[in-house]
Amino acid sequence: MEYWCLSVDDRGDLLPVEGAPLDLLARVRSIATDMRTFRPLTADMIQKSGLFSDRSEYIRRLREVTTLQAREEIRDAVSGKDAELLQMVRMLDQMDEVINLLSERLVEWYQVTNPAFSQKGKQGSVKRILPKILRSRSPPLRGMAKEMEGLMEARTALAAEVSRLAGRVIPNTSELVGGLVAARIMARAGGLEKLARMPGSSVQVIGAEAALFSHIRQGSPSPKHGIIFQHRRVHNAPREVRGRVARVLAAKLAIGARIDFFRGEPDPEFLASAQAMIDSMVGGSL
């Protein structure tokens, strides 16, 4: 049995392992543990090893090794090629939430200062209403509208950057559904590696988790698509083939994500065959 600081041979003899924390960390990484036969270290084994004067020294040295391991894993996680893209997508999603919430409040504020503003006008796009608010007689309201305008411009610029970076980080998935949709799917999956390990059926319903859980618990209709619906090939497809288009596109996205993760470069042959298959499905239904 192998432990981070010692080994136990077939006769039950303890074989202490000396080394600096980095050496012990390398040993930890090399150990393959079978949890069916694993037995944790006991206080008696620790004492008999002769490596530690008391329990506090054992805890101190174990903490050194585990702290090094945590630092390395954090460094690897934040240095992945998709790390910045993930943060950008999450920022974009939060900006959308903030803009929607503030837009609603801004329009209601404007309605108070301008009672003639109709309920029908309130239901319009905030981009269309914003010029009217910017001409309001209320200075605080005009100031907030100006801030909102700047926030929306920043959101548009960030979306463009997300799409551009996605084309470089996940070129195959981006080519299939566009950089912004591909980046959103990857972010919801938890990163490129997790997306690359997903089957197409899971990719298809990313973003529709609530509907999926409702289907499992209550027997409601199963969702046919999640974020993938944002792509024109799915939402423009005739209703009778929309589910099939989403299924085929998701399967191709799963393959594209694996190519992006393991090779990191566009595969023209794969992309051409995938595009042709999806186009034939949509075209054949019209």
Side-chain angles (χ1 to χ4, degrees):
M1 186 73 66
E2 301 291 331
Y3 300 94
W4 72 276
C5 58
L6 57 86
S7 300
V8 181
D9 63 18
D10 295 337
R11 296 177 300 178
D13 294 334
L14 302 181
L15 306 174
V17 177
E18 297 281 359
L22 279 175
D23 299 324
L24 292 172
L25 177 57
R27 172 180 169 79
V28 169
R29 294 190 183 282
S30 69
I31 294 175
T33 303
D34 184 348
M35 297 307 297
R36 295 171 298 180
T37 58
F38 177 76
R39 296 291 182 273
L41 275 173
T42 64
D44 185 56
M45 292 168 67
I46 293 169
Q47 183 179 6
K48 287 180 179 179
S49 70
L51 289 170
F52 314 103
S53 58
D54 53 27
R55 175 177 171 78
S56 62
E57 184 185 359
Y58 170 80
I59 296 296
R60 178 183 61 78
R61 293 184 60 184
L62 178 60
R63 184 181 292 116
E64 288 178 349
V65 176
T66 54
T67 299
L68 280 174
Q69 183 178 18
R71 285 176 177 170
E72 286 196 1
E73 290 181 0
I74 292 171
R75 184 191 63 210
D76 292 343
V78 301
S79 63
K81 64 178 183 178
D82 60 344
E84 184 179 12
L85 183 57
L86 281 171
Q87 295 302 322
M88 290 169 69
V89 173
R90 289 165 183 164
M91 175 66 77
L92 184 65
D93 287 343
Q94 290 184 335
M95 288 182 76
D96 285 341
E97 292 175 8
V98 170
I99 288 171
N100 289 337
L101 182 63
L102 294 182
S103 297
E104 208 174 299
R105 180 61 58 204
L106 194 68
V107 171
E108 290 180 357
W109 184 0
Y110 177 65
Q111 192 173 25
V112 169
T113 64
N114 183 11
F117 183 59
S118 68
Q119 189 69 21
K120 183 178 179 180
K122 181 181 175 182
Q123 294 171 356
S125 166
V126 71
K127 288 184 179 180
R128 186 173 61 80
I129 302 169
L130 201 58
K132 296 180 181 179
I133 302 177
L134 287 167
R135 297 192 298 270
S136 168
R137 293 190 299 272
S138 169
L141 181 56
R142 290 199 308 271
M144 289 306 302
K146 190 68 179 174
E147 293 294 333
M148 176 65 71
E149 187 177 46
L151 185 59
M152 291 169 70
E153 289 174 355
R155 188 267 175 207
T156 299
L158 179 59
E161 284 300 306
V162 167
S163 185
R164 180 192 62 80
L165 185 58
R168 194 170 75 240
V169 174
I170 45 176
N172 293 282
T173 48
S174 294
E175 186 66 26
L176 287 172
V177 293
L180 194 55
V181 176
R184 286 187 187 279
I185 290 173
M186 184 201 70
R188 184 62 73 93
L192 179 55
E193 182 175 0
K194 290 184 178 179
L195 179 62
R197 299 186 188 284
M198 282 185 174
S201 57
S202 296
V203 175
Q204 183 178 346
V205 294
I206 286 177
E209 290 82 5
L212 182 60
F213 292 147
S214 176
H215 166 68
I216 294 170
R217 289 196 302 264
Q218 302 173 10
S220 58
S222 61
K224 293 182 174 60
H225 34 62
I227 295 174
I228 201 173
F229 182 75
Q230 296 176 14
H231 186 54
R232 58 177 176 78
R233 276 186 165 139
V234 179
H235 69 243
N236 287 345
R239 185 178 295 274
E240 62 270 17
V241 297
R242 193 176 292 162
R244 278 185 288 156
V245 172
R247 184 168 62 252
V248 172
L249 182 55
K252 297 302 181 184
L253 278 172
I255 297 171
R258 292 178 192 123
I259 298 172
D260 288 337
F261 179 68
F262 291 106
R263 282 193 278 173
E265 58 186 26
D267 186 327
E269 185 176 345
F270 159 73
L271 290 171
S273 65
Q275 305 278 22
M277 178 179 289
I278 298 164
D279 287 341
S280 66
M281 288 187 64
V282 177
S285 64
L286 296 178

